[in-house]
Amino acid sequence: MPPPLEQILHDRFQSDVSPLALGPDADTALARIAGRGSCRAFTSKPVPGAVLEALCAVALSAPSKSDLQQRDIVIVEEEGLKTELLGLLSAQAWTGHVPHLLVFCGNHARQRTLHDLSGHPFANDHLDGFFNAAVDAGIALSAFVLAAEAAGLGCCPISTVRNFPDEVDRLLNLPDFVFPVAGLAVGYPASDPPVSRRLPLSCTVHRDRYPDADVAETLTAYDTLRHRHQPYPVQRRSDTLGEAAHYGWIEDKTRQYSLPERADFGAYVRRKGFSLD
């Protein structure tokens, strides 16, 4: 049994949350979700293919913009293909031990086919088409993670597939208007994954209107608290940026975005047929 929901939320967000009193089943289910963490260490036990397929069905039951269903899931079963895809991510050492790999894709090709079938003109060739498909894929990925973890599995999204969109596109034989949004590592966890502390709710949950407030003090306090409870074992890009005396969340995230990354993704999306106007 997980700890009480109120305790998990307090530990994760550094704020008190009133007891919800929704009943033991609901409280337990919410506690498991609130206390989840990304798994990067797996056992070698394989997940049955039927389980993965059933979890895909559950994930694709999640909301879809206007019932357009603009998302696909590629279950990578061929070992050589999985090895080649994960080889692209070699900078992340843990990915070499991923038992199962799925790739969640946005699919705007089916909508084009619907117009061919109906004879109605397609009048929305602009950014929203790409955006809808990308959001649909993200919703399905989140639903898969929650479903898989409820079934005793561990998961970790892999956005790095977007660092190599052309290579992933070629390996998966993606047609025009279909593009990778994220990979997902799936398997049986070798240990309980760490639970990352999140920004306080005062920083991320707003009522009615976005507040006109300076968040620098809140971010600095969060950085200090997180460094105390969850220090980073390795400093990002220390070869070029050196070793920081205090290496917390702020330093890590700003180092990540201090150098160009995925600057060619927009060009890739346009090559897939999208207009981003």
Side-chain angles (χ1 to χ4, degrees):
M1 290 287 291
L5 175 61
E6 294 78 27
Q7 178 185 331
I8 294 173
L9 294 176
H10 177 273
D11 292 345
R12 191 153 208 176
F13 293 97
Q14 309 94 57
S15 59
D16 291 327
V17 177
S18 300
L20 299 181
L22 297 176
D25 291 343
D27 283 352
T28 299
L30 293 176
R32 292 189 188 281
I33 296 172
R36 66 158 308 279
S38 292
C39 179
R40 294 179 176 87
F42 302 92
T43 71
S44 58
K45 179 182 176 182
V47 180
V51 172
L52 291 176
E53 186 168 344
L55 291 172
C56 287
V58 172
L60 294 171
S61 302
S64 169
K65 185 264 186 286
S66 297
D67 194 25
L68 293 173
Q69 304 180 62
Q70 297 182 336
R71 65 277 180 101
D72 292 345
I73 306 171
V74 181
I75 303 174
V76 180
E77 294 183 320
E78 184 182 310
E79 196 62 33
L81 177 60
K82 187 187 84 169
T83 299
E84 195 167 356
L85 284 165
L86 292 174
L88 296 172
L89 318 175
S90 57
Q92 297 175 281
W94 69 271
T95 60
H97 307 284
V98 169
H100 299 279
L101 175 66
L102 283 66
V103 181
F104 287 73
C105 300
N107 184 328
H108 197 57
R110 273 194 296 271
Q111 185 66 30
R112 309 282 176 142
T113 301
L114 295 180
H115 286 264
D116 292 339
L117 292 171
S118 71
H120 294 305
F122 180 75
N124 288 279
D125 193 11
H126 48 68
L127 174 62
D128 200 48
F130 167 78
F131 190 75
N132 286 335
V135 171
D136 254 20
I139 291 172
L141 184 148
S142 180
F144 186 101
V145 168
L146 296 180
E149 290 175 350
L153 302 177
C155 300
C156 185
I158 308 175
S159 67
T160 322
V161 297
R162 297 198 303 278
N163 288 19
F164 310 95
D166 288 299
E167 292 91 334
V168 172
D169 190 288
R170 174 182 59 81
L171 289 169
L172 298 181
N173 193 34
L174 301 181
D176 285 347
F177 299 105
V178 178
F179 57 95
V181 171
L184 186 69
V186 182
Y188 291 99
S191 58
D192 291 336
V195 178
S196 297
R197 291 174 181 253
R198 299 298 197 205
L199 287 164
L201 297 178
S202 62
C203 192
T204 55
V205 178
H206 316 296
R207 286 181 169 83
D208 296 326
R209 292 171 180 81
Y210 206 94
D212 182 15
D214 184 358
V215 298
E217 184 176 344
T218 301
L219 294 176
T220 301
Y222 168 75
D223 179 80
T224 301
L225 181 68
R226 177 150 173 170
H227 179 68
R228 185 187 312 137
H229 291 277
Q230 194 180 352
Y232 288 92
V234 177
Q235 296 197 14
R236 189 190 297 266
R237 293 172 173 164
S238 59
D239 55 336
T240 56
L241 298 177
E243 294 281 332
H246 171 82
Y247 191 88
W249 181 77
I250 292 175
E251 183 70 17
D252 185 74
K253 299 311 153 197
T254 52
R255 284 190 178 207
Q256 180 177 355
Y257 270 69
S258 65
L259 295 175
E261 188 176 52
R262 302 172 194 160
D264 60 345
F265 191 70
Y268 160 76
V269 170
R270 288 183 175 91
R271 288 195 297 273
K272 295 299 290 183
F274 287 96
S275 170
L276 302 183
D277 296 336

